[in-house]
Amino acid sequence: RIFVLGIGFFTLCFLMTSLGGQFSAKRLGDSPFTIRTEVMGALESRGVLRRMSDMLEMLMKKMDILARLENSTDFHKGDEARFPLDRFQPAAGLMERIQAIAQNVSDIAIKVDQILRNSLLNGKVVEGRRDQCEVPRDPKYPDCAGKVEWMRARWTSDPCYAFFGVDGTECSFLIYLSEVEWFCPPLPWRNRTVALPSPPPLPQVQAAFRGDLTRLLELIGTGKESLSFMKKRIRHLAQQWLRAARRLEQKLKGRQRDQKHILIHIGFLTEESGDVFSPRVLKGGPLGEMVQWADILAALFLLGHSLRVTVSLKELQSHLGVPPGRGNCPLTNPLPFDLIYTDYHGLQQMKQHMGLSFKKYRCRVRVIDTFGTEPAYNHEEYATLRGYRTNWGYWNLQPTQFMTMFPHTPDNSFMGFVSEELNKTERQFIKSNKVSSMAVVYGKEASIWKGKEKFLAILNKYMEIHGTVYYETQRPPEVPAFVKNHGLLPQHEFQQLLRKAKLFIGFGFPYEGPAPLEAIANGCVFLQARFNPPHSSLNHEFFRGKPTSREVSSQHPYAEDFIGKPHVWTVDYNNSEEFEAAIKTIMRTQVDPYLPYEYTCEGMLERIHAYIQHQDFCTTSSPPLPPKAKSPAMQSPPSPLALSPNATHLVWSPSAIRDSRAWPPVDSLQVWVSETRHACTETCRQRGLVCEPTFFRFLNKKEVFLQLSITCDSTEYEMNHLYPAVAENVHECYLQKEPLLFSCAGYNTKYRRLCPCRDYRKGQVALCRDCL
């Protein structure tokens, strides 16, 4: 009896659940999903009711058999029977109740069937209207027909289309392509009031300098060795950051600054990108990227901006508002961030999951790019046609959206990092405790030492050599026995080692890391190898595939070009006599600790403040005039430039109108003509200036050639990262057709280039004198 009652109860529950699911659907027309749900649910609902009736009928038959079995056996007789007859007396009443339930189910089935028939009739009317949509032929939407064709074939390829209401009908395609995407015109019969209005913009809040980093440490989170490393670095430099923030606040004198909502997505730390750095933090792996990210986080936070930090793809999707699916659809809401700082891994993840919204919002992205991306590699079409395509380029961003660790090229923005500053007491202590015969080798991995026995033997004649090579159980054979190896040291202990040492020596790798600047800041002389020929993607595996043609003349070009002797010595390691002579001279040379201002906390805060306040890649400047027959630039406005008093170059004309919003200010501009073997970067540097790519638009005019007394028998607009330029031997002049290809980098022996140069603040090459 308990078994039979259980089956009856289960049957009722099943019935109520099934019918409840069908009747809880929304009314027809409530959403694009409703009609499909109702129509598909009709046959399913009737089938459920039929199955329930069949089950109840079978249950009654089983009960009838059980009753006949009772009457035909002696099973219930005797005082010692285990199941007395009176325990089965309620069976008849139970059968009556089951029969009543069966009748009720039959009545419900008839009523539901009538409702569903009416729903189907109404659904067919609306469905017919939905299927009668035709692809509009509107010249303002030339891609509409092609997109509809694609949707017919592929709308099931990503669940996000169904999320936005696509159900396979022609009208649902057009609704999606006109209301979610923007390839088709709005449908006239659609009720446009249904669409939710865009939320009003948040009120602008003024950014205020912060005086405590505790909240930032909470934002960074936990769970990865990389995050622990960055938090430890921020804590260690906290007092220097806070002092620098107070100094910059006084320098800006209460200037109004809008608080930005900023997302920081560190893509290389996500599991999807492999997170190759976290496991290597404790094993001497490359920490330069994490040093830079820690400093970026500290600077943005102290400047008073609102931050969100993510190191997982799931968090990124949540913050961006990515619809469910495989990432083909736009974001569900407007992007809630003014700026997004990420890296190449994060850039790829954003493109994969933001759909068309990536193109819409990519102007807000800032890419932390260690080695830089030159315009020739950034422009997808040009890179593909001219052989500049690599795994890391072709994003079609403004080149200054890429932010580098060192000022490799002005085509990108110099982000940098910070090194620890010393106070007067610490500087005096270092000077009095230097060991002139002590050297530390740059390199934590054993492979860096391989093949360097000759140099080490010479160095060992004069100095005690120390290393910081990581190993787990056995000392690496690449490190000679006469080297005192400390293993991997915590940052504080490594600093103490540098404060004692006289020499910090590099053997060619790693390229352009933070350690040489730390050594120079702690009073060491940095000795490095000169590369002849220079290393580049053409002759060195490390640079192959990177989006730059830059030629690296030494292990650390910044130290060579911007610091130099006596702090930095660059010699030919293939010349043993030159190498040995350099060591002897360095031992006799007294140097003070030195740190370039741009690598101090205050210098980095200045730079990031200026970028946030002035860099706007979402408001495009006027592109060059399109080419026209024979004379593409004849109708351009007069040049705002004038010949300098000594007639060697052009400057901004005193009578020309200045745009107060232009940044850098236009009066810092000088126009010089390069030699045939010089890029604009080198041309400007020879004159104590910096190439400024944002000024190219003022040079890209035929009149400028005339002002510089350059003869042009013909003038053409073309896509080429070396233009504007002149081929003097044939008197042919060339102007730039594609603004994204304006580039300070690159040269060709055929051309002399027009180069836009500017001045810069002492110790702050990223900013002109009036740029702060």
Side-chain angles (χ1 to χ4, degrees):
R1 187 177 63 178
I2 294 175
F3 170 74
V4 173
L5 287 171
I7 288 184
F9 179 74
F10 169 78
T11 303
L12 283 173
C13 291
F14 187 119
L15 174 64
M16 293 175 67
T17 303
S18 301
L19 292 178
Q22 297 299 326
F23 284 115
S24 63
K26 296 181 181 179
R27 294 172 301 172
L28 290 173
D30 279 359
S31 76
F33 299 96
T34 308
I35 295 173
R36 183 174 176 83
T37 303
E38 294 286 355
V39 173
M40 291 183 63
L43 297 177
E44 294 173 2
S45 300
R46 285 198 291 260
V48 169
L49 292 169
R50 290 195 190 98
R51 287 195 296 274
M52 298 303 298
S53 297
D54 293 341
M55 289 173 62
L56 289 168
E57 185 177 354
M58 185 179 298
L59 184 60
M60 286 189 292
K61 289 180 180 178
K62 295 288 184 183
M63 292 292 292
D64 187 56
I65 292 171
L66 184 60
R68 289 199 300 272
L69 182 63
E70 284 184 302
N71 294 331
S72 60
T73 65
D74 294 330
F75 181 73
H76 60 283
K77 297 179 180 179
D79 296 336
E80 298 176 358
R82 291 181 60 190
F83 300 101
L85 180 61
D86 56 354
R87 294 193 182 184
F88 283 89
Q89 293 302 320
L94 179 61
M95 287 189 65
E96 291 177 0
R97 287 195 292 274
I98 291 176
Q99 287 174 341
I101 291 172
Q103 183 61 45
N104 289 336
V105 168
S106 178
D107 295 340
I108 292 173
I110 294 171
K111 292 178 181 179
V112 169
D113 189 62
Q114 292 173 348
I115 294 172
L116 291 174
R117 285 179 185 277
N118 292 333
S119 297
L120 279 171
L121 289 174
N122 294 332
K124 286 178 181 178
V125 174
V126 179
E127 191 72 27
R129 181 183 179 184
R130 292 165 64 85
D131 285 331
Q132 289 173 2
C133 287
E134 294 183 0
V135 179
R137 306 295 178 182
D138 189 331
K140 296 179 181 178
Y141 299 88
D143 299 322
C144 184
K147 291 293 181 179
V148 171
E149 189 66 29
W150 188 95
M151 291 290 286
R152 289 193 193 108
R154 301 292 304 278
W155 76 273
T156 57
S157 64
D158 193 326
C160 72
Y161 296 117
F163 173 82
F164 281 110
V166 177
D167 59 7
T169 62
E170 204 80 355
C171 289
S172 70
F173 299 153
L174 291 172
I175 292 171
Y176 175 83
L177 291 170
S178 62
E179 298 179 13
V180 180
E181 297 184 6
W182 46 87
F183 293 104
C184 295
L187 298 176
W189 55 269
R190 284 285 291 173
N191 183 4
R192 303 296 295 164
T193 60
V194 174
L196 294 176
S198 299
L202 295 174
Q204 284 292 349
V205 177
Q206 291 302 304
F209 283 91
R210 292 189 174 100
D212 185 10
L213 287 163
T214 304
R215 174 59 183 152
L216 174 62
L217 299 177
E218 296 173 359
L219 285 172
I220 293 174
T222 58
K224 291 179 180 286
E225 291 292 345
S226 299
L227 299 179
S228 299
F229 173 88
M230 289 191 284
K231 290 166 71 171
K232 188 173 182 179
R233 175 177 174 82
I234 291 171
R235 279 193 291 264
H236 178 69
L237 294 174
Q239 292 307 312
Q240 293 195 22
W241 277 117
L242 294 173
R243 285 195 296 270
R246 288 193 292 268
R247 289 195 296 268
L248 180 58
E249 185 176 16
Q250 293 171 359
K251 191 181 298 183
L252 295 178
K253 298 177 181 177
R255 193 177 305 172
Q256 295 293 301
R257 300 180 300 117
D258 290 339
Q259 185 185 66
K260 304 293 184 181
H261 296 274
I262 301 176
L263 175 65
I264 297 100
H265 176 62
I266 310 176
F268 73 83
L269 292 183
T270 61
E271 299 300 330
E272 289 76 12
S273 66
D275 189 12
V276 296
F277 286 92
S278 289
R280 301 176 68 185
V281 169
L282 302 180
K283 299 181 181 180
L287 304 181
E289 288 86 350
M290 283 177 283
V291 164
Q292 188 181 32
W293 275 109
D295 296 345
I296 291 169
L297 285 164
L300 291 172
F301 184 79
L302 287 173
L303 286 169
H305 299 293
S306 174
L307 308 185
R308 290 290 181 273
V309 183
T310 69
V311 291
S312 77
L313 185 57
K314 186 176 180 180
E315 288 178 315
L316 175 68
Q317 292 172 319
S318 173
H319 286 308
L320 294 178
V322 174
R326 299 187 179 92
N328 290 309
C329 299
L331 302 183
T332 54
N333 294 301
L335 186 70
F337 299 103
D338 302 303
L339 295 170
I340 299 177
Y341 286 79
T342 188
D343 52 24
Y344 261 123
H345 295 282
L347 197 63
Q348 183 64 50
Q349 291 167 351
M350 288 169 57
K351 182 179 181 181
Q352 182 180 352
H353 293 277
M354 289 176 67
L356 288 175
S357 293
F358 177 77
K359 185 175 181 180
K360 179 179 180 181
Y361 293 119
R362 64 185 175 185
C363 61
R364 304 188 190 184
V365 174
R366 306 293 183 266
V367 184
I368 307 305
D369 176 12
T370 304
F371 289 96
T373 299
E374 293 175 2
Y377 296 82
N378 169 64
H379 191 282
E380 184 174 17
E381 179 186 355
Y382 185 78
T384 304
L385 292 174
R386 300 295 185 92
Y388 291 103
R389 182 90 180 216
T390 69
N391 291 333
W392 300 104
Y394 63 84
W395 286 95
N396 292 323
L397 301 177
Q398 292 292 335
T400 39
Q401 288 180 255
F402 297 98
M403 299 187 146
T404 58
M405 184 172 283
F406 291 95
H408 309 126
T409 168
D411 290 327
N412 304 145
S413 297
F414 164 45
M415 170 61 75
F417 57 94
V418 304
S419 288
E420 187 171 358
E421 298 178 73
L422 304 177
N423 58 38
K424 291 182 180 179
T425 303
E426 291 169 326
R427 292 166 68 90
Q428 189 60 42
F429 177 83
I430 287 174
K431 289 179 67 174
S432 60
N433 285 275
K434 278 290 178 185
V435 180
S436 61
S437 60
M438 179 179 172
V440 176
V441 175
Y442 181 19
K444 304 172 198 172
E445 297 181 356
S447 59
I448 295 171
W449 296 65
K450 189 175 182 179
K452 306 302 188 299
E453 295 83 2
K454 181 180 178 180
F455 310 127
L456 290 168
I458 296 174
L459 182 60
N460 189 46
K461 288 166 43 178
Y462 302 95
M463 299 182 125
E464 181 182 73
I465 306 174
H466 294 251
T468 57
V469 180
Y470 170 82
Y471 64 94
E472 291 184 353
T473 55
Q474 189 174 0
R475 181 186 174 101
E478 294 88 348
V479 182
F482 56 76
V483 173
K484 185 177 181 181
N485 187 34
H486 300 261
L488 185 64
L489 293 176
Q491 186 68 14
H492 177 69
E493 294 182 29
F494 180 62
Q495 294 271 10
Q496 296 304 315
L497 190 65
L498 292 176
R499 292 183 179 188
K500 292 181 181 178
K502 176 73 173 181
L503 177 67
F504 189 64
I505 181 170
F507 287 134
F509 190 83
Y511 295 101
E512 301 176 304
L517 264 66
E518 293 178 356
I520 295 167
N522 282 284
C524 293
V525 173
F526 178 51
L527 177 63
Q528 62 173 345
R530 178 183 294 113
F531 300 147
N532 189 18
H535 292 181
S536 70
S537 58
L538 299 177
N539 61 11
H540 202 277
E541 186 62 32
F542 178 82
F543 290 100
R544 193 161 290 123
K546 290 184 170 58
T548 174
S549 298
R550 188 162 55 94
E551 296 178 333
V552 178
S553 58
S554 63
Q555 182 175 353
H556 208 291
Y558 176 85
E560 178 185 7
D561 296 334
F562 288 86
I563 301 177
K565 292 182 179 179
H567 303 280
V568 180
W569 289 63
T570 306
V571 301
D572 182 3
Y573 278 24
N574 293 319
N575 187 329
S576 299
E577 293 180 357
E578 182 182 355
F579 179 76
E580 189 167 358
I583 293 173
K584 291 179 181 179
T585 306
I586 288 170
M587 291 181 68
R588 298 191 302 267
T589 303
Q590 296 295 322
V591 296
D592 292 329
Y594 173 72
L595 180 62
Y597 176 76
E598 55 201 353
Y599 284 97
T600 65
C601 293
E602 186 175 354
M604 187 168 183
L605 283 170
E606 264 189 14
R607 208 159 47 246
I608 295 183
H609 156 73
Y611 290 154
I612 291 177
Q613 289 300 113
H614 299 292
Q615 284 185 336
D616 180 4
F617 303 112
C618 298
T619 304
T620 57
S621 58
S622 300
L625 290 174
K628 296 180 181 178
K630 302 294 182 182
S631 55
M634 292 297 290
Q635 291 141 12
S636 60
S639 169
L641 306 175
L643 202 61
S644 65
N646 58 7
T648 57
H649 61 282
L650 301 181
V651 295
W652 194 264
S653 173
S655 61
I657 299 174
R658 287 174 171 80
D659 184 355
S660 59
R661 297 170 298 177
W663 192 85
V666 291
D667 50 8
S668 65
L669 167 64
Q670 297 183 26
V671 182
W672 292 83
V673 183
S674 77
E675 299 299 324
T676 54
R677 294 182 179 273
H678 288 176
C680 285
T681 303
E682 186 176 0
T683 299
C684 296
R685 185 184 299 149
Q686 288 177 342
R687 292 159 178 83
L689 303 169
V690 176
C691 181
E692 179 51 62
T694 60
F695 287 154
F696 267 113
R697 66 185 188 272
F698 301 120
L699 282 58
N700 203 45
K701 299 179 180 181
K702 184 176 181 179
E703 290 81 359
V704 176
F705 291 114
L706 299 176
Q707 288 178 291
L708 290 166
S709 300
I710 295 174
T711 302
C712 299
D713 291 344
S714 65
T715 306
E716 301 292 339
Y717 269 83
E718 293 184 13
M719 278 202 317
N720 191 307
H721 69 286
L722 302 179
Y723 295 166
V726 56
E728 284 192 325
N729 57 334
V730 291
H731 302 293
E732 292 177 350
C733 297
Y734 299 92
L735 298 175
Q736 181 60 258
K737 183 179 179 181
E738 172 50 68
L740 286 181
L741 287 174
F742 283 138
S743 176
C744 293
Y747 67 88
N748 188 302
T749 55
K750 177 182 176 181
Y751 301 120
R752 295 183 69 193
R753 301 188 57 191
L754 300 190
C755 299
C757 306
R758 63 161 170 83
D759 57 34
Y760 61 91
R761 302 179 70 218
K762 183 179 180 180
Q764 185 73 287
V765 70
L767 304 180
C768 70
R769 291 171 188 165
D770 297 322
C771 278
L772 187 60

